Amino acid sequence: MGRATDIPNAGELFTFDVGTDALFAIRTRDGGINVLSIVCRPRNMLWFEGPGTVRRLSCALHAWDCNMEGEHVFAPGMTDNGASVDHKSVCLPKIRAEGWEGFLFVNHDLMAPAFHPWP
């Protein structure tokens, strides 16, 4: 899907497609790389497009905010009526990703073996 050197600093990201899935890779504050879905789950629209740098992920339609792990952290007006928020329903789904020799790979199969044993 890309190279780790394409996103050297925290908050840098790039978008890509795997089949019909719109995804992005982002460098986290601790130096790791997460791959997340870029699609707004309620409206099926993209949160953003293209490469860039962010401090927090924000949905352009709803103004919902997620951290670099894809976890929901804020949604304006969501708790105004006192209801609790199901944060899992608005988070960005995380996709399994691994690096090998500087290349980044994704795998939707959670049961597949890791790349590490490969020669």
Side-chain angles (χ1 to χ4, degrees):
M1 67 170 180
R3 304 257 319 148
T5 56
D6 292 342
I7 47 175
N9 302 309
E12 290 187 339
L13 60 87
F14 63 86
T15 61
F16 59 97
D17 295 327
V18 174
T20 58
D21 293 333
L23 306 173
F24 71 100
I26 187 167
R27 178 74 65 173
T28 63
R29 286 183 176 81
D30 65 4
I33 295 176
N34 283 330
V35 174
L36 304 161
S37 172
I38 198 170
V39 178
C40 173
R41 293 169 89 179
R43 297 287 184 213
N44 200 34
M45 67 173 274
L46 299 180
W47 277 45
F48 49 83
E49 294 183 60
T53 304
V54 297
R55 298 178 103 209
R56 180 177 281 178
L57 303 167
S58 187
C59 174
L61 179 64
H62 297 104
W64 294 346
D65 287 345
C66 290
N67 62 22
M68 292 179 197
E69 302 295 325
E71 299 163 340
H72 174 252
V73 293
F74 177 75
M78 195 172 253
T79 59
D80 287 352
N81 65 359
S84 64
V85 177
D86 177 12
H87 293 280
K88 298 263 187 222
S89 69
V90 293
C91 68
L92 297 172
K94 196 172 192 177
I95 309 301
R96 180 179 171 191
E98 294 186 57
W100 178 75
E101 297 291 325
F103 291 96
L104 301 173
F105 296 88
V106 295
N107 190 338
H108 285 80
D109 184 355
L110 299 176
M111 303 306 291
F115 293 142
H116 303 307
W118 290 9

